Amino acid sequence: MDAKPAWMSDPLVKDIPARKLEFLGQMFQEGHGKSQKEMMAFMMPMMKKAKQENLTFTPQEMSAAIAAIRKHSSADELKQIDKILEKAKQ
């Protein structure tokens, strides 16, 4: 088992269940480095998987998780996160 990313231990996300954090972590990790086209193909099954596992995120949980991830990311990672978020909104 990999060590938890630093953002998962951030106080911002302390109230979010571990299962949700792991899902988000997997999504961001697997989405890393994908093109916009690949991102679309990637996001659909991830959203479906979340639904199947009854994982729903409140706007507060998403905001806290994104803030924590951004806080612990490099400049390149921040660009990738923005790309993922842009696709997720569409």
Side-chain angles (χ1 to χ4, degrees):
M1 177 93 189
D2 295 354
K4 260 194 335 188
W7 70 267
M8 285 189 184
S9 302
D10 194 282
L12 284 168
V13 295
K14 71 178 177 13
D15 297 326
I16 301 175
R19 204 165 139 244
K20 290 184 180 185
L21 291 178
E22 286 161 17
F23 181 85
L24 286 174
Q26 180 188 359
M27 190 172 93
F28 277 104
Q29 189 177 4
E30 290 178 15
H32 192 75
K34 292 191 183 327
S35 70
Q36 280 196 307
K37 194 174 176 185
E38 291 170 325
M39 216 48 228
M40 284 307 292
F42 168 72
M43 288 301 281
M44 296 314 287
M46 284 304 279
M47 300 321 260
K48 197 172 177 181
K49 183 180 176 205
K51 207 172 197 172
Q52 286 170 339
E53 294 181 17
N54 289 320
L55 286 177
T56 54
F57 297 90
T58 66
Q60 293 85 353
E61 287 173 333
M62 283 306 289
S63 294
I66 291 164
I69 291 168
R70 292 181 73 87
K71 199 159 110 177
H72 297 276
S73 296
S74 68
D76 280 349
E77 288 168 333
L78 287 172
K79 274 188 230 157
Q80 187 65 33
I81 290 165
D82 289 339
K83 205 189 290 185
I84 292 169
L85 296 175
E86 196 52 47
K87 284 287 149 219
K89 282 182 199 159
Q90 293 177 358

